[in-house]
Amino acid sequence: MPLLLLLASFTHGSEEVRFEHVPEGGVQPQVATTRDGTLHLVYLIGNPGGGDVRYVTKKSGGAGWSAPRTLNSTPATAVAMGTIRGAQMAVGKDDTLHVVWNGPGGKNQPAPLLYTRSLDHGGTFEKQRDLRADTQGLDGGASIAASAKGEVYIVWHGAPADAAPGEINRRVFVLKSTDNGGTFLKPRIANGDDPGVCACCSLKTFVSPTGELITLYRAARSMAQRDITLMTSTDGGVTFQHRNVGPWAINACPMSSASVIGAGAKTRAAWEAEGKVYTSLLDESSTALAVSEDKARHPALAVNARGETLITWSVGTGWQKGGQLGWLVLDSSGQATGRRGIKPGVPVWGFTAAYAEGDRFVILY
């Protein structure tokens, strides 16, 4: 029996990690926690080409999720197909909830970039807004980040309205609000000096514990080189710096996603490269650690009360194909432990999410 499966057989029954199905058989879960410990979960249901964003909550220490509600004010306007275009969520000033997702395009109609927010801790959500502006070619999923000061950043990739076709002409756009999502400035091109974005890959943005705006995206500077790139801004999204953190020589779009989380005063990321999941703290002194078996993708992160990190990912999933989930615990110093496992059950168009309950972890799939 392979070593990984032996480890799994000893750890599946551990109380350290608990497994939980997404409500309603939903896919592409994203979870966030507000200051009072309430968990907020979004996921997709319905037609993969045009379904709905659903939302539930769980109080700190609660036994179950609330009754589901639909966040998209126009029905069937969320895309699950491809596994990288679903909803992402951020908690901002006064525990405002911000949600963004890709909508379906139509004949002579570009795909919209849709956003909603809740100013009352998830009690109600505003009517969805299309914030795509005059950019074109929305494809890989957008991301959202927010700060306690009322800054909201929506980040996506596409092409300027007058750009020629081709991945080398794709850009990363950053849309900023300074009033907690009430209004947004014009989109700013963040990689004008470093063009090229892998079209069908999602990206991930995050406001770090030190206030930096951090974005991970897969570059496409040439057809055969698609490196995970770290883009940072220390001046609130005015200027940006870039460096590669996950090289991958591949002449194809892997339809990948990434994850970022605060780890004390630092920031940890996880991404896919060469068919494995890698993780690293996002500082120049840290090196990336491969944590998964082969055919691993779509990582998610959680940090518990002991400062340990759970990394979970999908195994063997693909276009219209479900698979397994894998997981590994890093100790508080970031070193891999022997606590890991693998489990079947990731649905078609699905991936995992994770959260902490004190010292324990929960994996949603």
Side-chain angles (χ1 to χ4, degrees):
M1 182 182 291
L3 175 61
L4 184 63
L5 294 183
L6 279 170
L7 289 168
S9 67
F10 286 109
T11 54
H12 276 172
S14 170
E15 292 184 356
E16 178 183 44
V17 177
R18 183 167 63 83
F19 301 91
E20 185 176 343
H21 288 294
V22 177
E24 305 183 274
V27 296
Q28 299 173 34
Q30 296 281 323
V31 64
T33 307
T34 45
R35 289 172 297 176
D36 63 356
T38 300
L39 292 162
H40 303 261
L41 173 67
V42 293
Y43 53 90
L44 304 186
I45 65 169
N47 187 327
D52 296 312
V53 182
R54 298 284 270 179
Y55 167 75
V56 293
T57 63
K58 182 190 291 187
K59 295 293 185 182
S60 177
W65 297 99
S66 64
R69 289 182 286 147
T70 299
L71 296 193
N72 46 301
S73 51
T74 302
T77 51
V79 178
M81 190 175 293
T83 321
I84 44 80
R85 303 179 177 95
Q88 291 199 29
M89 177 171 47
V91 178
K93 182 180 179 181
D94 299 326
D95 281 347
T96 300
L97 299 171
H98 304 274
V99 185
V100 68
W101 68 94
N102 284 27
K107 187 176 181 180
N108 300 320
Q109 291 182 323
L113 175 67
L114 299 173
Y115 165 78
T116 186
R117 65 173 179 165
S118 172
L119 297 171
D120 56 4
H121 307 265
T124 59
F125 282 82
E126 296 177 347
K127 183 179 179 180
Q128 68 190 47
R129 289 181 261 167
D130 182 4
L131 300 179
R132 183 186 58 86
D134 62 350
T135 63
Q136 62 176 339
L138 182 69
D139 194 343
S143 189
I144 193 163
S147 76
K149 298 187 294 184
E151 299 162 327
V152 182
Y153 301 92
I154 297 176
V155 184
W156 73 98
H157 59 82
D162 57 352
E167 288 181 314
I168 192 62
N169 294 311
R170 297 185 73 82
R171 301 292 188 269
V172 176
F173 294 94
V174 177
L175 191 63
K176 181 179 180 179
S177 170
T178 58
D179 60 2
N180 207 25
T183 60
F184 286 87
L185 306 174
K186 290 184 178 180
R188 180 185 293 268
I189 293 177
N191 66 330
D193 59 343
D194 189 22
V197 183
C198 196
C200 297
C201 286
S202 180
L203 44 68
K204 185 66 176 181
T205 195
F206 180 72
V207 175
S208 76
T210 56
E212 288 182 305
L213 177 64
I214 291 172
T215 303
L216 284 179
Y217 70 94
R218 188 170 299 284
R221 301 177 183 94
S222 71
M223 290 297 291
Q225 192 70 35
R226 297 170 187 263
D227 304 330
I228 284 290
T229 299
L230 171 64
M231 183 175 76
T232 60
S233 175
T234 59
D235 54 12
V238 177
T239 60
F240 300 88
Q241 299 77 46
H242 305 81
R243 67 179 175 93
N244 287 353
V245 295
W248 194 359
I250 180 175
N251 192 10
C253 175
M255 300 190 77
S256 67
S257 58
S259 184
V260 182
I261 196 170
K266 297 185 178 181
T267 303
R268 176 170 293 280
W271 62 88
E272 176 191 352
E274 300 174 337
K276 290 183 171 63
V277 166
Y278 287 78
T279 186
S280 177
L281 292 176
L282 293 181
D283 57 57
E284 296 197 16
S285 64
S286 297
T287 57
L289 171 70
V291 296
S292 75
E293 64 283 343
D294 291 333
K295 298 182 180 179
R297 52 202 326 223
H298 304 311
L301 296 164
V303 176
N304 70 9
R306 291 196 295 253
E308 298 170 321
T309 302
L310 173 77
I311 308 173
T312 178
W313 57 85
S314 302
V315 182
T317 58
W319 190 264
Q320 294 185 332
K321 179 185 176 184
Q324 299 174 304
L325 68 87
W327 61 272
L328 168 74
V329 175
L330 305 179
D331 66 22
S332 59
S333 68
Q335 299 300 305
T337 71
R339 293 127 65 193
R340 63 186 302 158
I342 192 165
K343 179 180 175 66
V346 176
V348 174
W349 308 129
F351 51 61
T352 61
Y355 63 92
E357 292 181 327
D359 293 340
R360 302 195 312 163
F361 293 107
V362 180
I363 298 176
L364 288 156
Y365 69 105

